[in-house]
Amino acid sequence: MSYEKELAAAKKAVSLAACLSQEVQKTLLQSQVWKKSDRSPVTAADYGSQAVVSLVLERELQPEKLSLVAEEETGDLRKKGSEEFLEGITKLVKDTLASEESYAGSPLSTDDVLNAIDCGKSEGGCSGCHWILDPIDGTKGFVKGEQYAVGLALLVEGKVVLGVMACPNLPVASAVGETDKSSPEDVGCLFFATTGSGTYVQPLKGNSPPQKVKVSSNENLEEAKFLESYHKPILIHGTIAKKLGIKALPVRIDSQAKYAALSRGDAEIYLRFTLSGYRECIWDHAPGSIITIEAGGVVCDAAGKSLDFSKGKYLAHETGIIVTTKKLKPWILKAVRESMEEENLYF
């Protein structure tokens, strides 16, 4: 199955959500960053992006019932005192959709926006079709004006078959290196992949045709580039890198933009080991995983097993996530196993 219709709808939805997020990021003040009940940051862009994607998928695909597994919920938006914030989100969504000619003039109320966000309450699972969305992946990076992504994937019978990811601040050239010299015209990428068809990228702006991308062919670990998240340093990452003989310091990038960078050969390794007890949400990895795999890469847990997205909102996997090339995988798994044994971590 080619998923042409689904891919076209997903690209439109993600591109519009990225436009909304860029408008918010231009003028975002610290006072406009809310805290959710779990104390994590959230902005109008998180909610607005989720509403836009939900509304576009409904309009373009007209499913009998849209099943969307997404990060945001409307509980805080429905509380007293949130009216002005919700009105602002509604205006953002309305203005964004109006930029697409076929959507111009469509009425949109605050209730419509709330209902669109609430479409994301699906639990996913191993049967049927489910869209998986992270409306703003890397909110901390987004707030700082740095890297973030809008990631959308399609899960069919427990398997990820399609992924689209917008990285509005990712350089069109390399994301690793002297990225601060990229002009505003040279940033913003849209990555997409469907199972068995490869991975492609095109600039978010303009009409440049998509270009097929492949992971790095580098087999020299000393020259390998290593990506990790902007979080508290994870000691085992350094231990693994030392065992592999990697000389360069890790490059820290927020969000699934790391998957995107690796898929086009900007780096060879992305490690994600988290604190004990942390559960990985499927929306944090589903879009990036298929984009990397279709570019010739591998995504697995510390035991070398493929990630399982069929168990609901959380990944069923062993400790740690490894993203790399097929040629480097055996060496990395060996270094991971030895490092975990030294630190008394077990599968």
Side-chain angles (χ1 to χ4, degrees):
M1 188 171 177
S2 66
Y3 300 104
E4 285 182 20
K5 186 177 180 181
E6 291 82 358
L7 178 61
K11 288 176 68 177
K12 179 181 282 191
V14 169
S15 296
L16 285 170
C19 288
L20 181 149
S21 70
Q22 288 173 298
E23 286 302 310
V24 174
Q25 196 179 47
K26 283 178 189 174
T27 58
L28 186 67
L29 301 174
Q30 195 60 40
S31 60
Q32 296 170 312
V33 180
W34 282 37
K35 292 286 186 184
K36 292 191 281 191
S37 53
D38 65 0
R39 307 305 297 162
S40 61
V42 67
T43 70
D46 294 83
Y47 292 118
S49 173
Q50 184 158 317
V52 164
V53 171
S54 173
L55 289 164
V56 172
L57 291 179
E58 283 273 15
R59 173 79 173 264
E60 298 296 319
L61 301 176
Q62 298 181 355
E64 186 175 322
K65 180 173 174 29
L66 178 67
S67 177
L68 179 65
V69 186
E71 182 171 9
E72 305 306 339
E73 301 175 351
T74 62
D76 290 334
L77 291 178
R78 295 179 185 274
K79 290 178 181 176
K80 190 173 181 180
S82 301
E83 294 83 2
E84 185 177 346
F85 188 45
L86 177 57
E87 288 286 353
I89 294 167
T90 302
K91 184 178 186 306
L92 274 170
V93 174
K94 192 169 185 178
D95 290 349
T96 300
L97 293 176
S99 69
E100 181 71 23
E101 192 174 337
S102 61
Y103 290 82
S106 300
L108 193 74
S109 67
T110 55
D111 281 342
D112 292 331
V113 169
L114 288 170
N115 290 337
I117 296 169
D118 276 340
C119 272
K121 288 183 175 179
S122 171
E123 293 291 325
C126 61
S127 61
C129 298
H130 310 280
W131 290 95
I132 304 169
L133 171 69
D134 197 332
I136 299 290
D137 184 35
T139 300
K140 290 178 181 177
F142 175 79
V143 168
K144 292 183 292 184
E146 297 174 2
Q147 296 300 335
Y148 69 99
V150 179
L152 181 64
L154 178 60
L155 189 74
V156 177
E157 305 302 329
K159 302 293 184 183
V160 180
V161 299
L162 177 157
V164 178
M165 184 158 54
C167 303
N169 291 338
L170 197 70
V172 173
S174 174
V176 177
E178 299 180 32
T179 57
D180 56 325
K181 294 185 178 180
S182 297
S183 69
E185 291 74 30
D186 295 330
V187 299
C189 303
L190 183 70
F191 291 81
F192 59 92
T194 53
T195 185
S197 298
T199 296
Y200 295 81
V201 65
Q202 63 190 109
L204 268 174
K205 301 171 187 172
N207 298 307
S208 298
Q211 301 291 322
K212 195 166 189 177
V213 295
K214 298 294 288 183
V215 296
S216 170
S217 59
N218 172 40
E219 297 181 52
N220 186 343
L221 283 164
E222 286 189 359
E223 297 176 0
K225 297 182 183 72
F226 159 37
L227 306 177
E228 65 179 5
S229 297
Y230 262 119
H231 294 300
K232 184 178 179 181
I234 303 295
L235 295 179
I236 195 171
H237 287 182
T239 305
I240 295 167
K242 187 175 180 180
K243 285 184 178 295
L244 291 170
I246 296 172
K247 292 183 176 180
L249 292 172
V251 178
R252 292 182 175 176
I253 303 176
D254 283 301
S255 82
Q256 288 180 77
K258 293 183 287 295
Y259 278 104
L262 196 142
S263 76
R264 67 179 182 187
D266 292 354
E268 290 79 21
I269 303 165
Y270 162 33
L271 296 177
R272 183 175 172 86
F273 283 74
T274 54
L275 299 175
S276 178
Y278 182 83
R279 299 178 74 192
E280 295 279 4
C281 297
I282 59 174
W283 51 71
D284 286 324
H285 299 280
S289 68
I290 188 169
I291 284 168
T292 300
I293 290 166
E294 285 297 320
V298 291
V299 181
C300 62
D301 63 19
K305 298 176 184 175
S306 298
L307 302 186
D308 185 353
F309 294 94
S310 71
K311 305 297 185 185
K313 289 186 176 183
Y314 299 98
L315 278 177
H317 76 299
E318 301 292 351
T319 303
I321 292 174
I322 298 162
V323 186
T324 187
T325 66
K326 291 176 181 176
K327 291 178 180 177
L328 297 184
K329 179 184 174 183
W331 302 103
I332 294 170
L333 286 178
K334 180 175 183 290
V336 165
R337 183 171 61 252
E338 291 173 356
S339 299
M340 291 180 70
E341 288 172 356
E342 288 175 12
E343 298 196 20
N344 294 316
L345 299 173
Y346 300 98
F347 298 133

